[in-house]
Amino acid sequence: MVKINDNFLKLPGGYLFPEISRRVKAFSAENPPKPLIRLGIGDVTQPLCPAVIDAMHKATDEMSNKETFRGYMDDSSGYEFLRNTISEHDYKARSVNIGPDEIFVSDGAKSDCGNIGDIFSVDNVVAVCDPVYPVYVDTNAMAGRAGTVGADGIWSNLIYLPCTEANGFFPALPKKVPDIIYICSPNNPTGATATKEQLKVWVDYANAHGAIILFDSAYESFITDSSLPHSIYEVPGAETCAIEFRSFSKTAGFTGTRCAYTVIPSALVRGGVQLKSLWIRRQNTKYNGAPYVIQRAAEAVYSPEGQKQTKATIAYYLNNAKVILDGFSKAGITAYGGVNAPYIWAKTPGGIPSWGFFDLLLKKACVVTTPGAGFGPAGEGYIRVTAFGDAEATKDAVKRIIEVL
Amino acid sequence: MVKINDNFLKLPGGYLFPEISRRVKAFSAENPPKPLIRLGIGDVTQPLCPAVIDAMHKATDEMSNKETFRGYMDDSSGYEFLRNTISEHDYKARSVNIGPDEIFVSDGAKSDCGNIGDIFSVDNVVAVCDPVYPVYVDTNAMAGRAGTVGADGIWSNLIYLPCTEANGFFPALPKKVPDIIYICSPNNPTGATATKEQLKVWVDYANAHGAIILFDSAYESFITDSSLPHSIYEVPGAETCAIEFRSFSKTAGFTGTRCAYTVIPSALVRGGVQLKSLWIRRQNTKYNGAPYVIQRAAEAVYSPEGQKQTKATIAYYLNNAKVILDGFSKAGITAYGGVNAPYIWAKTPGGIPSWGFFDLLLKKACVVTTPGAGFGPAGEGYIRVTAFGDAEATKDAVKRIIEVL
C-alpha cells in the first residue's frame, strides 16, 4: 500500500491567496455595490514592455525555422546569452563578482525557493521571519522540517524571527542557532528594506555557524535609496553563506510569463561539496529549463530600451505606493514600506484583527487587501496593500478606504 | 551547521545525457573526419508548426496590451482553455472520462515525474523497469527511496523489472510487492508499446495491493497500431491506481518550448486522501504555472491545422525510424521498437558493451547514439537510436553505420 507524505496533511487550510480568492468570489456572488479594486495579491497590472514583446516575437519566429529552432538546452541552467547578461548587469555593474556559472535560470522564484530544499537534509533547523512569505514555511512543512502546527499557527520546529515596529521590521539574531535562514529584502510583506550593516550581522553569523542564508531579493528593482544593497553579495562574506533568489515577475511584469534566477556562488561549500553542484544535479534531473522564447524575453529587459521601459513601469507602481501611503496618513492609519518596495504594511485601526479588517475593506470599500495574519502570527494587526494596481483604481481605492474609515 | 542532502552524493557520475555530451565535445575537439550526426538524445529537430507559431504571436500581442495582459493564474494547474481542450481531445474523444479538473498543466513531464515524489512518503518501495529512463531512478535516489548503489549500478532498495528480448520488453509482476510502479509506454528506451491486456495485469495488481502506477505516455502520439492504448485510463480500473504523464515535447516539438500535463483522477485516493488534492497543494506552493503564451501554443496543437501539421511531423519521424530499422536489418543488427515509438533499441554486434559500441559509432561513423547501459543494467548490450533527426542526416547516418559494420 502506497503511503502518502503525511506532512502535507499537517498544513492548515489553504494557501493564503486561494483563501482570499475564495472570500472574494463569495462576495462577488452577492452583487457588491461597486466594482472590486484588487490591491491584495502582489500581481502586476501593466503589460509587458515593447522591448520584451519584440524579443518574444523574434524568438517565436526563430522557433518556426529549422535553422534557428531550439530544442533542449545542453543543461537546464539557462542559455549563456541570458546568464552572461544577468552577470554583467545585475552584478558586475554593481561591482559584485558573480559569474554566469553561478547563475541558474528558472521559471520562477517560487519554484526555486521551494525546490532548493531538495539539496538540504530534512534534519536542518529553519528560521523564518514573522511575518513571512508563506512559501518558505509551507515548503519546509511539506518536507518535514517544520514539525507540527499549533492552533496559533506556530510550527513546533521552526525558529521565528519577529519583525515588528519595535525592531524596524528587521530581525534580531535568535537564541537557538538555525541551519537555514530565510531573509527577504525588500521585504514581502512589510516593505522594509535591509541596509548593508543589517545584512552584515546575519552574514557574519551564518559564516560563524556554517548556516545558509536563503536571500529573496525578488523586489530589488523597487529600491530607490542608493545606499541600500540590491544583492546580499554586496555584503563581504555573503559568497560563502548565501543563496540569492531573483525574479523578472515584479521587475518586468513576468508574473504570467515566468522567468527567474537563483545565484549560488562557487565559494559556497558545505560538507566539502559545492552547493551549486547539488543544485545543478537537482535541476538537470527534475527540470528542463525555461522556454527559449521566455529567456529571450528576459534578456530584452536588459537592453537600453528594456531598461528604460521597465524602469518607467516601476516608477508608476512606486507612485501608487506614494498615493496609498499619503491616503493612509490622511485616514490616520500608520503604514510602513512603499518607498523601496511595492508593499505597504498598514496597522489595522483600533486593533481590529487583520482578517476582520480585510473583510471590512472588502465589504464596505470593495477593496481587496491581504490580511497580515496570513503571513504569520506577528502579522496580526496589519494588512498588506500592494502598489501593483492601475493608477486610477489605486486612487479610487484610497478614496474609498478614507470614506469607510 | 547546515547539512546537505547526502542522498545526492550517492548518485554515481553525471546524469546520462551530460556524460554523452562530454564525450561528444571531447571527440569534436579532435577534429572528426565527418560532421557529427546526432541520433542520441531524444531531441526533436523539426520547427514548431505554423498553427503553434501563430498562436504564440497572438498571445504575445495580448501580453502587450493592458486589457488582455495576463499575470498570475488563479491556480498553477493551467488555464481552463487548455485543460478543457486536453480533456476533449486526448480523453473524451477516445471515450475516456477524464475531466479538466483532473488535468494539471506544467512545464514538462520530467519536472512532473520528479516532483510527484513530493506527495509520497520516503518509505515507499519503488519498482522501475530495467532498462529505464534515468529520471525515475535518480529522483527517487535523491529523495532517499533508492538506498545505496552498487558498482553494478543496482540500487539496494529498488525493485527492478527486467524488460528483455525474452519477455518482449514488457515486465512481469515481481515477487516483492512495490508501492510505486513506473511504467513507460511507448517505452523509452526500448520502443516497446504495451497492449491493453498487458497493462490490465498491472492495473489489477496495483488495485489489489493499493499500489500506484506512474504511467509515462510522453510518446503516445507515435502509436500507429490502432489497437494499442494511448492512455492507461483506457484500461478499466486505472482511475483508482494510476497517474499519467503527458508532454507536448515529442507530440509537437516543444522540447525547447516546455509544456506538459499530468492526470490524477478524482477517484485516486490513498489513506483517505485524494492524491490530486496533494498535487494541487504541492504545485500551488512550489510552482506558478506554465507561461500564458506557452499554454496558448499548446492549445493550438489541438486546432484542425495544428493536428494536421503535428501529425505530418510525426509521420516524418516515423519514416526515419523505418529507415533506421531497414538499415540495421541490412547490417545484420537485431533491432526493436520504431513502429509505435520514436526509439529504436538495437543489439550491439558480437556482444560489444554498449558504451564501447557508442564510442565505436561516434569515432568511426561520427554518429551519436545512446548507450543502453546508461538506462540500467539490462540495457547493457544495446544502444538507443532516435528517429528525431533530419531525414537526410538519418539516411546518411544509417549508411555510415552500415559501412562501419
Side-chain angles (χ1 to χ4, degrees):
Chain A
M1 172 69 82
V2 77
K3 290 163 283 294
I4 64 171
N5 177 352
D6 286 331
N7 294 313
F8 275 63
L9 305 184
K10 300 175 190 167
L11 291 161
Y15 178 66
L16 173 61
F17 297 110
E19 172 60 20
I20 291 173
S21 176
R22 199 188 58 73
R23 291 195 188 206
V24 170
K25 272 187 189 164
F27 178 62
S28 297
E30 293 170 22
N31 295 314
K34 299 172 195 167
L36 291 184
I37 300 177
R38 292 167 194 270
L39 304 180
I41 189 166
D43 197 3
V44 299
T45 52
Q46 301 305 301
L48 295 180
C49 70
V52 167
I53 294 291
D54 289 350
M56 287 172 74
H57 279 307
K58 185 161 172 278
T60 297
D61 284 335
E62 288 180 61
M63 296 298 279
S64 73
N65 184 317
K66 192 169 169 175
E67 306 308 317
T68 51
F69 173 78
R70 308 280 186 131
Y72 289 124
M73 281 185 282
D74 273 354
D75 82 43
S76 68
S77 304
Y79 284 105
E80 283 186 12
F81 65 76
L82 181 55
R83 299 167 83 184
N84 287 333
T85 303
I86 291 168
S87 170
E88 290 302 325
H89 286 75
D90 285 345
Y91 295 100
K92 292 185 178 164
R94 294 187 66 83
S95 305
V96 177
N97 190 26
I98 293 291
D101 62 320
E102 298 168 304
I103 293 166
F104 305 95
V105 176
S106 79
D107 64 292
K110 187 173 168 183
S111 305
D112 289 355
C113 283
N115 293 334
I116 197 75
D118 283 9
I119 73 168
F120 296 111
S121 164
V122 172
D123 300 326
N124 289 294
V125 175
V126 172
V128 293
C129 292
D130 174 18
V132 66
Y133 178 45
V135 164
Y136 310 152
V137 172
D138 290 0
T139 57
N140 279 292
M142 287 175 174
R145 287 191 198 94
T148 53
V149 66
D152 53 1
I154 297 280
W155 289 85
S156 57
N157 292 352
L158 295 184
I159 296 174
Y160 287 89
L161 309 170
C163 296
T164 62
E165 260 184 312
N167 64 20
F169 302 104
F170 192 79
L173 298 175
K175 285 179 192 160
K176 184 178 171 186
V177 179
D179 303 307
I180 296 172
I181 302 149
Y182 288 84
I183 298 178
C184 174
S185 176
N187 190 260
N188 177 10
T190 69
T193 304
T195 64
K196 278 186 205 175
E197 293 68 32
Q198 285 178 315
L199 291 178
K200 183 77 166 62
V201 172
W202 281 95
V203 165
D204 291 346
Y205 178 80
N207 277 322
H209 292 96
I212 294 285
I213 297 172
L214 299 179
F215 188 74
D216 184 347
S217 60
Y219 303 96
E220 58 80 28
S221 57
F222 290 84
I223 293 175
T224 53
D225 178 342
S226 61
S227 74
L228 295 174
H230 289 237
S231 165
I232 196 166
Y233 305 115
E234 294 180 47
V235 177
E239 69 281 2
T240 55
C241 69
I243 293 174
E244 180 162 294
F245 302 96
R246 292 264 188 117
S247 170
F248 295 93
S249 284
K250 309 303 160 65
T251 302
F254 273 44
T255 52
T257 301
R258 315 301 316 139
C259 198
Y261 62 91
T262 288
V263 178
I264 310 183
S266 301
L268 181 47
V269 173
R270 290 294 182 275
V273 180
Q274 278 190 325
L275 293 192
K276 78 172 192 179
S277 74
L278 301 181
W279 183 243
I280 290 167
R281 187 64 201 250
R282 192 270 170 211
Q283 294 293 80
N284 277 338
T285 306
K286 297 171 89 165
Y287 184 57
N288 257 323
Y292 174 69
V293 294
I294 302 298
Q295 294 195 51
R296 283 292 185 199
E299 182 193 28
V301 171
Y302 297 97
S303 68
E305 303 74 29
Q307 284 290 292
K308 198 174 153 192
Q309 292 160 359
T310 53
K311 282 179 180 166
T313 302
I314 286 166
Y316 173 98
Y317 291 139
L318 282 171
N319 191 58
N320 286 345
K322 190 171 178 308
V323 167
I324 295 166
L325 283 171
D326 290 350
F328 278 149
S329 174
K330 274 183 201 156
I333 288 184
T334 306
Y336 297 93
V339 176
N340 297 296
Y343 294 121
I344 292 92
W345 189 238
K347 283 178 90 165
T348 64
I352 310 174
S354 60
W355 276 106
F357 193 48
F358 166 87
D359 282 334
L360 185 146
L361 292 179
L362 176 63
K363 291 178 182 176
K364 301 291 177 193
C366 297
V367 172
V368 184
T369 61
T370 308
F375 297 103
E380 185 52 273
Y382 289 86
I383 57 161
R384 190 191 74 174
V385 182
T386 94
F388 290 119
D390 173 80
E392 286 310 309
T394 301
K395 279 178 202 162
D396 283 352
V398 168
K399 263 186 219 160
R400 291 186 194 176
I401 291 173
I402 291 173
E403 280 167 23
V404 165
L405 299 178
Chain B
M1 170 70 84
V2 77
K3 291 163 282 294
I4 63 171
N5 178 352
D6 285 332
N7 294 314
F8 275 63
L9 306 183
K10 299 175 190 167
L11 291 161
Y15 178 67
L16 173 61
F17 297 110
E19 171 60 21
I20 291 173
S21 174
R22 199 189 59 74
R23 292 194 188 205
V24 169
K25 272 188 187 163
F27 178 62
S28 297
E30 292 170 21
N31 295 314
K34 298 171 196 167
L36 292 184
I37 301 177
R38 293 167 193 270
L39 304 179
I41 190 166
D43 197 3
V44 299
T45 53
Q46 302 304 300
L48 295 179
C49 70
V52 167
I53 294 291
D54 289 349
M56 287 172 74
H57 280 307
K58 184 161 171 281
T60 297
D61 284 334
E62 287 180 61
M63 295 299 278
S64 74
N65 185 317
K66 193 169 169 176
E67 306 308 317
T68 51
F69 173 78
R70 307 281 186 131
Y72 290 123
M73 283 184 281
D74 272 353
D75 83 44
S76 67
S77 304
Y79 284 105
E80 282 185 14
F81 65 75
L82 181 54
R83 300 167 83 184
N84 286 333
T85 303
I86 291 168
S87 170
E88 289 302 325
H89 285 76
D90 285 345
Y91 294 99
K92 291 184 178 164
R94 295 187 66 82
S95 305
V96 177
N97 190 27
I98 293 289
D101 62 320
E102 298 168 305
I103 292 166
F104 305 94
V105 176
S106 79
D107 65 291
K110 187 172 168 183
S111 305
D112 288 355
C113 283
N115 294 334
I116 196 76
D118 284 8
I119 71 169
F120 295 112
S121 163
V122 172
D123 300 326
N124 289 295
V125 175
V126 172
V128 294
C129 292
D130 175 18
V132 65
Y133 178 45
V135 164
Y136 311 150
V137 173
D138 291 359
T139 55
N140 279 292
M142 287 174 174
R145 286 190 200 93
T148 53
V149 66
D152 53 1
I154 297 281
W155 289 87
S156 57
N157 292 353
L158 294 183
I159 297 174
Y160 288 88
L161 309 170
C163 295
T164 62
E165 261 184 312
N167 64 19
F169 302 104
F170 191 80
L173 298 175
K175 286 178 192 162
K176 184 177 171 185
V177 179
D179 303 306
I180 296 172
I181 302 150
Y182 288 84
I183 298 178
C184 175
S185 177
N187 192 260
N188 177 12
T190 70
T193 304
T195 64
K196 279 185 205 175
E197 293 68 31
Q198 286 177 316
L199 291 179
K200 184 77 166 63
V201 172
W202 281 95
V203 165
D204 290 346
Y205 178 80
N207 276 323
H209 292 96
I212 293 286
I213 296 172
L214 299 179
F215 187 74
D216 185 348
S217 61
Y219 303 98
E220 58 79 29
S221 57
F222 290 84
I223 293 174
T224 54
D225 179 341
S226 62
S227 74
L228 295 173
H230 288 236
S231 164
I232 196 165
Y233 305 114
E234 295 179 47
V235 177
E239 69 281 2
T240 54
C241 69
I243 293 174
E244 179 162 296
F245 302 97
R246 291 264 188 117
S247 170
F248 295 93
S249 284
K250 308 304 161 62
T251 302
F254 273 45
T255 53
T257 301
R258 316 300 317 138
C259 199
Y261 62 92
T262 288
V263 178
I264 310 183
S266 301
L268 182 47
V269 174
R270 290 294 182 275
V273 180
Q274 277 189 324
L275 293 191
K276 77 171 192 180
S277 73
L278 301 180
W279 183 242
I280 290 167
R281 186 66 201 250
R282 192 269 170 212
Q283 294 294 79
N284 276 340
T285 306
K286 297 172 88 164
Y287 184 56
N288 257 323
Y292 174 69
V293 295
I294 303 299
Q295 294 194 51
R296 282 292 184 199
E299 181 192 30
V301 170
Y302 297 96
S303 68
E305 304 74 29
Q307 284 290 292
K308 197 175 154 192
Q309 292 160 359
T310 53
K311 282 179 179 165
T313 302
I314 286 166
Y316 173 99
Y317 291 138
L318 282 171
N319 191 58
N320 286 345
K322 190 172 179 309
V323 167
I324 295 165
L325 283 171
D326 289 350
F328 277 149
S329 174
K330 273 183 202 156
I333 288 183
T334 306
Y336 298 93
V339 176
N340 297 296
Y343 295 120
I344 292 92
W345 190 238
K347 283 179 88 164
T348 65
I352 310 175
S354 59
W355 276 106
F357 193 47
F358 167 87
D359 283 335
L360 185 146
L361 292 179
L362 176 63
K363 291 179 182 176
K364 300 292 176 192
C366 298
V367 171
V368 183
T369 60
T370 309
F375 297 102
E380 185 52 273
Y382 288 86
I383 56 163
R384 190 192 73 173
V385 182
T386 93
F388 289 119
D390 172 81
E392 287 309 310
T394 301
K395 279 179 201 162
D396 283 352
V398 169
K399 264 186 216 158
R400 291 185 194 176
I401 291 172
I402 292 173
E403 282 166 22
V404 165
L405 300 177

